[in-house]
């Protein structure tokens, strides 16, 4: 920790001059070469690359450069001049590297050579590509069953790489596809697929121009989807209501200065974003939305008594939905007292939110991780969709469901078949196109994969991107699981903790990033991605590769497939990578929505994938949009923990700072929340600090509560007095992942409950041994 007080109030808007200054600082720190500026300007341009930052769509993909501070950081991180060469690995054993922080590992720069861990020296040594593929292939072939291997995917990988990957793994013989989506928007897909037949958002960007109200649940766009602020700003300026539900007052949801608006910048002005802001309790969204529905139904009953126009859309409900009467009766029976107690909002506030909804002709509901990472996430999303259905707000302009995805191609990876529970129809299609019988039984998701490794049922872990060891819950258990493996392999751009928590045999396979030119036999190749609103478009790198030895992700997958399956394979893997048009032709054969893929994706801006729900076609078994009733939960792990303890039990939400991309730490500041130079902070209400008999600035330890008898702790957090409801805490991910029990996940979707961890707070005990242990495990403090 620096000597300066890390907590300083920040009153400015999101964006603005602070954002421009921050970009300059990151470009300098990353030593981005002069061409870096050109690199930035090419992000999200029709002939440039897709920004690796987030999945928010671009205006037609043809607009002028859209400035985004955090997109710039993501690009700078990839375009950095720093290199993690074999010399770095020669200087350090893995045990030594493991003592450095994640921030330090990231800052070593781009990996340049394929490396294999050498047990005798505990060092990673360079290995030739062919030898690496041959050895990994040999290993995979020797497994007693293909189901002993796990194939993880992080959502940055392109459609082409993802398609080849799932094809290889299924021809190899397993559906073990844990992916980052399992920790992210899985509940959105699960809830919406059952309810409206499609697991993706139903809106497009143009709907943001038409919506009369935009509700935002559990999302922090100022940090995580900064380009979304541009849409929200326009909507606010034309008078749309923007209604935020968040336990924290996030600056990006309050006010925004657009760095592209010269007048706003010159006058140090800003635009108010949220018209209404509801600071509900962590996990209180289901109750709040149900309360809004209750209000709308009461208004509707009143309208009927008065002979006025109905408030709900009876024609839509009759024609398109099922289950309304039972649902309405269940909502009527829910007590306001329960709704108020569990949401943490007053009845007045909830009614006001309900009134805004009822008075708006077209409504979009957006949501993020504040909704999806709870035990009751699927039920909460059902409730949000119920709210939309009440007034026919799905399948017409200016209205719809908008789960805001995270990784830039996480949605596309799913479309391409990265899914542990593939549909029989999709598998039939693979069989028909490729002539092999794919495995039919479901594979492991992320939680299942960790359990399977712990129990020795899975012995090989292959990661296509990501940082599994750090992103997953229950850090200690996950690390134990990975260390039990016979083989761990990571395809990656940078060094991260997952490479240091390895199996008995271990490889690091360095790949090209999205900003780089991908040269194959037929010339420079582009790849395709799908954004959060189902637009598919091309992405072509413009920088020279970070090192000549790097291979593209499709090439790595194809060469591994060739080495593993050899003559047995039905697919000419090496031919495919000569020209990615050949991969896209196969994609077009497997997915009807990708017909004429190569032609259509070359039209500037790409094309939109059809969305049945957005056309009011309901492709679930019932053929209707379903109203889904759910009681307000009052027996969650947090309730149970509270009932069993004398001392105060808090609900902890783990969240992102402004200077990180998931497990990648770009810097130590969280500017909008007023935190500088420190990540081990705990946001807490002043009265809760007093009730604990402590004061702001004290250091505390956290212990999570779970009835499995395991003690899970995270040590040394600075108490920061914050505007957050009582009983609620927030701290950064991944420092707090050790607190999330592996067995605690969302009903139906199995997403770890990283936003609602029951914890107790102790004064920090600087026991030397314990500190060492925790710092090393969590990896953020150098401890030599
Ligand atoms: N710069 C940057 N961009 C990113 C990422 C990044 O790390 N850095 N990550 C990418 C990824 S993979 C994803 S999934 C997205 C994540 O983007 P977000 O969905 O914005 O994720 P978080 O920052 O985890 O948390 C979102 C918000 O939920 C609030 N919250 C916590 N608990 C609750 C609750 O119970 N109810 C409500 N209503 N709100 C709650 C928090 O206060 C926070 O404002 O961003 C993507 N984009
Ligand atoms: N407690 C808690 N845990 C969480 C969350 C939370 O909110 N709280 N959020 C969850 C969410 S939403 C997600 S999506 C997951 C994220 O889980 P992951 O996707 O596994 O994690 P990332 O940190 O995004 O992965 C970063 C790594 O990806 C690699 N990488 C970067 N670019 C490329 C590339 O172009 N190709 C390849 N091959 N590799 C690349 C780099 O090595 C980098 O270190 O974490 C989840 N974990
Ligand atoms: Mo995510």
């Amino acid at each position: 920790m620096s000597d300066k007080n890390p907590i300083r109030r920040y009153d400015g808007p999101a964006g603005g001059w602070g954002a421009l200054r921050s970009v300059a600082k990151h470009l300098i720190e990353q030593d981005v070469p002069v061409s870096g500026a050109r690199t930035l300007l090419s992000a999200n341009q029709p002939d440039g690359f897709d920004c690796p930052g987030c999945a928010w769509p671009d205006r037609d993909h043809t607009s002028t450069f859209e400035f985004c501070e955090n997109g710039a950081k993501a690009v700078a991180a990839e375009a950095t001049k720093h290199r993690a060469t074999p010399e770095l690995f020669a200087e350090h054993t893995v045990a030594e590297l493991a003592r450095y922080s994640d921030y330090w590992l990231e800052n070593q720069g781009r990996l340049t050579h394929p490396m294999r861990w050498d047990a005798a020296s505990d060092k990673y040594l360079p290995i030739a590509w062919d030898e690496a593929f041959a050895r990994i292939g040999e290993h995979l072939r020797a497994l007693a069953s293909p189901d002993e291997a796990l194939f993880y995917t992080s959502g940055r990988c392109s459609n082409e790489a993802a398609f080849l990957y799932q094809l290889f793994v299924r021809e190899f013989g397993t559906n073990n596809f844990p992916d980052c989506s399992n920790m992210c928007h899985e509940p959105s897909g699960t809830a919406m697929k059952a309810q409206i037949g499609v697991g993706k958002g139903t809106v497009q960007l143009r709907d943001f121009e038409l919506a009369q109200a935009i509700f935002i649940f559990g999302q922090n766009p100022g940090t995580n989807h900064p380009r979304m602020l541009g849409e929200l700003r326009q909507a606010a300026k034309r008078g749309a209501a923007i209604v935020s539900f968040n336990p924290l007052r996030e600056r990006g949801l309050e006010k925004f200065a657009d760095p592209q608006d010269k007048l706003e910048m010159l006058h140090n002005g800003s635009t108010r974003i949220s018209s209404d802001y509801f600071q509900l309790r962590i996990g209180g969204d289901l109750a709040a939305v149900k309360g809004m529905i209750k209000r709308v139904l009461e208004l509707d009953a009143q309208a009927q008594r008065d002979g006025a126009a109905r408030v709900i859309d009876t024609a839509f409900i009759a024609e398109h939905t099922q289950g309304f009467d039972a649902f309405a009766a269940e909502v009527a029976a829910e007590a306001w007292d329960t709704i108020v107690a569990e949401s943490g909002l007053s009845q007045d506030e909830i009614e006001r939110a309900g009134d805004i909804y009822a008075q708006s002709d077209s409504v979009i509901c957006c949501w993020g991780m504040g909704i999806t990472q709870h035990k009751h996430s699927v039920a909460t999303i059902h409730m949000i969709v119920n709210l939309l259905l009440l007034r026919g707000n799905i399948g017409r302009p200016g209205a719809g469901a908008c789960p805001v995805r995270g990784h830039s191609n996480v949605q596309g990876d799913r479309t391409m078949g990265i899914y542990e529970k593939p549909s029989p129809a999709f598998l039939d299609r693979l069989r028909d196109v490729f002539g092999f019988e794919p495995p039919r039984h479901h594979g492991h998701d992320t939680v299942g994969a960790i359990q399977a490794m712990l129990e020795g049922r899975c012995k090989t872990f292959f990661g296509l991107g990501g940082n599994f060891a750090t992103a997953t819950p229950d850090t200690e258990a996950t690390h134990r699981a990975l260390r039990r493996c016979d083989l761990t392999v990571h395809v990656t751009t940078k060094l991260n903790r997952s490479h240091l928590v390895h199996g008995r045999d271990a490889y690091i396979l360095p790949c090209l990033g999205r900003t780089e030119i991908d040269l194959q036999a037929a010339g420079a190749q582009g790849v395709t991605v799908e954004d959060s609103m189902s637009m598919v478009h091309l992405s072509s790198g413009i920088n020279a590769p970070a090192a000549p030895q790097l291979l593209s992700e499709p090439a790595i997958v194809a060469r591994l497939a060739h080495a593993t399956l050899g003559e047995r394979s039905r697919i000419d893997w090496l031919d495919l990578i000569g020209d990615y048009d050949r991969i896209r032709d196969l994609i077009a054969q497997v997915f009807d929505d990708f017909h004429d893929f190569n032609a259509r994706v070359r039209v500037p801006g790409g094309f939109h994938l059809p969305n049945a729900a957005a056309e009011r076609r309901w492709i679930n078994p019932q053929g209707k949009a379903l109203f889904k009733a759910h009681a307000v939960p009052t027996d969650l792990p947090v309730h149970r923990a509270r009932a069993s303890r004398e001392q105060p039990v808090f609900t902890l939400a783990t969240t992102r700072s402004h200077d990180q991309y998931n497990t990648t730490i770009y810097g130590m500041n969280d500017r909008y929340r007023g935190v500088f130079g420190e990540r081990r902070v705990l946001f807490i209400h002043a009265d809760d600090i007093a009730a604990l008999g402590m004061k702001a600035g004290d250091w505390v330890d956290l212990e999570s509560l779970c009835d499995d008898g395991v003690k899970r702790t995270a040590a040394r957090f600075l108490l920061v007095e914050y505007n957050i409801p009582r009983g609620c805490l927030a701290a950064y991910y991944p420092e707090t992942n050790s607190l999330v029990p592996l067995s605690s996940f969302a009903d139906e979707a199995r997403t770890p409950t990283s936003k609602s961890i029951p914890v107790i707070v102790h004064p920090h005990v600087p026991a030397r041994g314990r500190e060492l242990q925790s710092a090393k495990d969590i990896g953020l403090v150098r401890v030599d």
Side-chain angles (χ1 to χ4, degrees), residues 507-585:
Y507 297 80
I508 302 175
L509 306 181
C511 65
L512 291 174
R514 227 185 249 171
T515 54
E516 288 156 345
I517 297 165
D518 179 356
L519 203 56
Q520 303 294 346
Q525 302 296 312
V527 293
T528 61
V529 291
E530 173 186 341
D531 67 33
S532 202
M533 296 183 195
S534 307
M535 287 297 301
V536 179
H537 55 80
L538 266 176
S539 168
S540 310
I542 58 157
N543 287 345
Q549 298 78 9
L550 301 186
L551 294 183
S552 73
E553 287 176 324
I556 291 175
V557 174
R559 287 177 63 174
L560 177 64
H562 177 73
T564 307
L565 304 172
E567 297 311 310
R568 182 190 126 191
S569 180
R570 300 293 185 119
I571 295 138
D572 187 348
W573 294 99
L574 302 184
D575 178 64
L576 284 178
I577 51 170
D579 184 344
Y580 296 175
D581 278 6
R582 295 174 200 148
I583 306 175
R584 286 186 284 270
D585 282 340

Side-chain angles (χ1 to χ4, degrees), residues 53-54 70 184 217-221 223-225 245-248 250 280-285 368-371 373-374 405-407 653-656 660-662 673 755:
C54 74
N70 280 351
C184 186
F217 299 94
Q219 206 209 326
N220 181 20
T223 286
N224 298 318
H225 304 90
F245 290 81
N246 200 307
L248 307 185
E250 303 286 24
L280 78 185
R281 267 174 46 181
I282 293 173
D285 302 79
M369 296 300 102
I371 294 298
Q373 297 176 332
H374 299 280
R405 306 273 164 184
H407 270 298
T654 63
T655 188
R656 292 154 171 80
Q660 74 182 83
Y661 193 92
N662 298 339
R673 298 196 186 108
K755 291 286 187 284

Side-chain angles (χ1 to χ4, degrees), residues 305-526:
R305 285 195 294 274
D306 298 348
R310 295 288 297 264
V311 176
I312 60 172
D313 186 340
T314 49
F316 174 84
I317 292 173
E319 187 186 343
H320 289 289
T321 72
Q322 204 175 77
F324 175 73
D325 291 340
F327 170 72
E330 200 272 349
V331 172
E334 185 79 76
W336 273 112
D337 285 353
T338 313
I339 291 174
V340 166
E342 296 303 320
S343 67
L345 299 175
S346 68
Q347 186 170 340
D348 272 357
E349 289 176 297
I350 297 172
E351 289 181 346
R352 182 150 55 88
D355 291 349
I356 298 170
Y357 176 76
Q359 287 155 13
S360 307
D361 286 339
S362 47
V363 175
I364 294 176
C365 286
C366 303
W367 67 90
M369 296 300 102
I371 294 298
T372 63
Q373 297 176 332
H374 299 280
K375 184 161 192 301
H376 54 304
S377 290
V378 171
T380 304
I381 295 160
H382 282 159
M383 209 53 76
I384 294 174
V385 173
N386 289 333
L387 177 72
L388 288 168
L389 292 177
L390 275 187
R391 284 175 49 81
N393 273 312
I394 290 188
R396 61 181 165 77
C402 181
V404 183
R405 306 273 164 184
H407 270 298
S408 49
N409 196 41
V410 62
Q411 187 161 316
D413 292 346
R414 268 295 157 87
T415 306
M416 289 297 111
I418 302 293
Y419 191 31
E420 73 279 2
K421 295 180 283 196
S423 72
F426 166 66
L427 296 177
D428 288 349
R429 196 65 173 266
L430 283 185
R431 177 199 57 206
D432 296 347
V433 172
F434 296 102
F436 68 84
E437 187 55 56
R440 298 276 163 172
H441 53 283
H442 291 173
H444 291 303
D445 58 12
T446 292
V447 166
I450 298 168
Q451 286 163 339
M453 286 186 279
L454 278 173
E455 290 163 18
R457 286 180 281 123
C458 286
K459 300 180 161 67
T460 296
F461 179 95
F462 187 98
L464 186 57
N467 186 358
F468 191 86
T470 306
T472 46
D474 226 340
T475 311
E476 187 276 328
T478 299
H479 286 197
R480 208 162 7 100
L482 288 166
R483 288 201 171 99
R484 274 202 72 170
C485 284
D486 290 335
L487 171 70
T488 49
V489 184
H490 295 276
V491 179
T492 179
T493 48
K494 296 251 187 107
L495 181 60
N496 69 39
R497 182 127 341 249
S498 297
H499 315 144
L500 308 175
V501 182
H502 59 80
R504 271 179 284 281
D505 195 6
Y507 297 80
I508 302 175
L509 306 181
C511 65
L512 291 174
R514 227 185 249 171
T515 54
E516 288 156 345
I517 297 165
D518 179 356
L519 203 56
Q520 303 294 346
Q525 302 296 312

Side-chain angles (χ1 to χ4, degrees), residues 57-63 66 205-206 208-209 227 231:
D58 325 297
R59 285 251 146 231
D60 303 327
H61 234 67
T62 51
S63 65
E66 274 193 84
L205 266 191
R206 60 171 179 263
F208 281 77
E209 293 166 21
R227 285 176 299 117
E231 304 300 328

